Amino acid sequence: MDENKTVGRLTLVGTPIGNLSDFSPRALEALRECDFIAAEDTRVTLKLLNHFGIAKPLVSYFEHNKRERGEVICARLLAGENAVLVTDAGMPAISDPGEQLVDQCHERDIPVGVVPGPTAMATALAVAGLPTGRFAFEGFLSMNKRSRRAHLDSLRGEPRTMVFYEAPHKLLSTLEDLLAVLGNRRIALVRELTKIHEEVVRTTLAEAIARYTQDAPRGEFVLVVEGAAPTEQLPMTVEAAETLAREYLAQGMSPSEAAKTAAAETGLKKGDIYRRIID
């Protein structure tokens, strides 16, 4: 790349997930100052721009045109234009085709910045009432039955709280799959975040299925699912500790060192292990 050539910048801008009052001053500034906006759905973004009195050229960028449109956007950035990337709601590039555009920019040494904004994943996790110290964001499950089951099978023993996105028309089948693979875990179903009909339902997978079989689900959902219970480990026997200590003996440790090391790893008494390996 010509070092004297001015390269533009791509800025990721988080947009409101429901309430327009959540749009930040920095986000508005980024939209006003850019040369053009790449949007998941230009109609949705146009409504947002009109609300705030902003007029900017829009470029459509979504799942089915992301590769070729990404090349076009990168070419404009390399020519010196500045662009903003937005999704319909929330942070672009998070469970979103913008992930590829960011990668394309980094490959071409195009600067990428970010104006953080609302994210359904983190917002739902905060209000779910399940452990949040560690969590796994799983996004949308595949519509392909085999891929979907393989994805869920890989999560059987996942101890962290899991977060999924789901559309209302697929909610019941997803809950049924989750129950079949994971068992009857606790779940928080969070829908219509920051909107008038915002709702958090804390229940179990089985009860959730009964609820939404009777009442048709409405709105976009974030599912926050309890992680697997820790696997209970059987206590280490002195025989197993002796075997471990003898392995250390074979590696050249003295009986005392081998017993001490095995004791530290197993929680058993050094003296008991030592007596067995010198007998």
Side-chain angles (χ1 to χ4, degrees):
M1 183 183 296
D2 184 353
E3 293 182 359
N4 297 318
K5 186 177 180 180
T6 301
V7 176
R9 179 184 182 89
L10 176 69
T11 302
L12 313 180
V13 173
T15 55
I17 56 178
N19 193 320
L20 293 180
S21 298
D22 293 334
F23 211 33
S24 75
R26 277 191 66 213
L28 289 172
E29 181 182 8
L31 293 179
R32 291 188 178 111
E33 293 185 351
C34 71
D35 294 305
F36 69 96
I37 299 169
E40 178 183 7
D41 186 329
T42 56
R43 296 165 299 181
V44 172
T45 300
L46 184 59
K47 291 179 182 178
L48 179 71
L49 295 178
N50 288 340
H51 179 83
F52 290 103
I54 299 172
K56 287 290 175 180
L58 292 169
V59 173
S60 174
Y61 179 87
F62 57 94
E63 180 64 32
H64 300 296
N65 74 356
K66 63 183 180 182
R67 183 171 296 278
E68 58 271 20
R69 194 55 56 85
E71 295 293 334
V72 173
I73 292 170
C74 284
R76 294 181 65 173
L77 294 168
L78 288 169
E81 292 187 81
N82 293 306
V84 160
L85 174 67
V86 297
T87 184
D88 289 351
M91 282 300 300
I94 302 297
S95 195
D96 173 79
E99 173 187 2
Q100 179 162 314
L101 180 58
V102 173
D103 184 52
Q104 287 175 295
C105 286
H106 284 309
E107 287 180 348
R108 294 161 175 77
D109 294 325
I110 298 170
V112 179
V114 62
V115 179
T119 307
M121 166 189 64
T123 307
L125 191 63
V127 300
L130 290 170
T132 60
R134 299 180 65 204
F135 64 92
F137 175 57
E138 299 297 328
F140 289 98
L141 290 169
S142 172
M143 294 183 68
N144 178 278
K145 191 172 183 179
R146 180 176 295 180
S147 299
R148 185 185 185 88
R149 180 51 68 96
H151 185 166
L152 290 176
D153 282 340
S154 73
L155 298 174
R156 286 180 187 272
E158 173 57 68
R160 296 171 294 181
T161 299
M162 293 166 284
V163 184
F164 301 87
Y165 287 162
E166 195 51 277
H169 67 279
K170 295 195 300 177
L171 179 67
L172 261 179
S173 61
T174 293
L175 292 174
E176 289 167 351
D177 287 345
L178 287 168
L179 178 62
V181 177
L182 304 181
N184 195 22
R185 306 269 186 93
R186 289 187 298 163
I187 181 174
L189 299 99
V190 186
R191 72 180 189 95
E192 299 295 275
L193 279 164
T194 77
K195 300 176 184 177
I196 295 174
H197 300 293
E198 176 179 301
E199 182 180 42
V200 180
V201 176
R202 283 170 44 85
T203 182
T204 65
L205 284 167
E207 291 172 352
I209 291 170
R211 177 190 182 104
Y212 292 107
T213 297
Q214 182 175 353
D215 300 320
R218 296 180 180 180
E220 300 298 317
F221 282 81
V222 182
L223 311 179
V224 185
V225 183
E226 180 180 32
T231 303
E232 185 176 340
Q233 295 184 341
L234 296 175
M236 176 70 74
T237 64
V238 70
E239 290 81 6
E242 177 190 352
T243 299
L244 182 61
R246 290 192 182 280
E247 291 177 1
Y248 290 133
L249 282 174
Q251 295 172 19
M253 286 189 182
S254 69
S256 178
E257 289 174 328
K260 181 179 179 180
T261 305
E265 292 187 21
T266 63
L268 297 176
K269 293 180 180 179
K270 173 188 173 182
D272 293 341
I273 302 171
Y274 181 79
R275 281 191 291 272
R276 295 183 71 93
I277 62 175
I278 62 171
D279 284 345

